[in-house]
């Protein structure tokens, strides 16, 4: 199954594929369609090429470029030296995109979040697993219309941060502002999360 992405240049975050294990293609389709650049890290390349969606860049440490040249037309292969994530962020800077969505599995999600923390003040970053979307929010007021039932969490990155939330217009009872906000919902309306400083981490069901 193939997918092509059509979007005006630099308006949407790039899509970076870190791990595809157990990630259903149906959940990837919308993300792929709106990504101006699809960047695949070399460890995930075999699964990504099997899905047959359009890849713009394959990137990795000491990458053997000849391995991928016959799979798709117009794939750029970038071999990095040193720190992988510094190389990825440097490439995002070059693209001038506002941020990136990282596709990974649940086992690697929190490790990836920790690796992205230093870059969170400068880019709109999300880490997406088959179960959860983790938003490294740069907004002091984050607001979204939700419906149905589920669970949100919001956690500070720094001890000096204070987080509060309202759900459907009512404040969430929260005794310790240093702890993670745990927000269970059923119904429809707005959820609002306020922070004294940014960035901080929001988790929502995918």
């Amino acid at each position: 199954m193939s997918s092509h992405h059509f979007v005006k240049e630099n308006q949407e975050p790039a899509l970076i594929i870190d791990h595809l294990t157990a990630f259903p293609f149906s959940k990837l389709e919308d993300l792929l369609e709106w990504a101006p650049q699809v960047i695949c890290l070399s460890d995930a390349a075999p699964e990504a090429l099997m899905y047959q969606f359009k890849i713009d860049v394959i990137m990795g440490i000491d990458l053997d470029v000849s391995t991928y040249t016959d799979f798709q037309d117009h794939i750029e292969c970038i071999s990095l030296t040193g720190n992988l994530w510094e190389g990825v962020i440097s490439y995002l800077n070059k693209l001038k995109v506002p941020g990136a969505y990282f596709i990974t599995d649940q086992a690697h999600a929190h490790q990836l979040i920790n690796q992205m923390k230093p870059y969170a003040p400068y880019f709109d970053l999300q880490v997406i697993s088959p179960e959860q979307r983790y938003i490294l929010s740069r907004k002091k007021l984050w607001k979204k219309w939700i419906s149905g039932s589920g669970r949100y969490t919001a956690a500070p990155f720094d001890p000096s941060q204070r987080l509060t939330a309202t759900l459907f217009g009512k404040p969430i009872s929260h005794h310790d502002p240093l702890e993670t906000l745990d927000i269970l919902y059923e119904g429809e309306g707005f959820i609002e999360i306020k922070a004294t400083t940014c960035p901080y981490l929001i988790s929502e069901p995918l």
Side-chain angles (χ1 to χ4, degrees), residues 6 18 25 30 42 52 58 68 75 80 84 90 95 102 105 108 113 130 135 140-141 163 167 171 176 188 192:
F6 303 96
D18 176 43
F25 183 81
D30 288 344
S42 56
Q52 297 184 353
I58 294 177
Y68 305 103
I75 292 182
L80 302 171
L84 172 65
S90 177
L95 291 178
F102 291 84
D105 55 25
H108 292 88
I113 289 166
I135 303 162
K140 287 188 175 181
L141 172 59
L163 302 178
L167 178 66
D176 187 347
E188 64 177 24
E192 295 185 5

Side-chain angles (χ1 to χ4, degrees), residues 58-71:
I58 294 177
M59 187 178 293
I61 300 294
D62 298 326
L63 186 68
D64 183 358
V65 173
S66 63
T67 305
Y68 305 103
T69 51
D70 295 332
F71 284 97

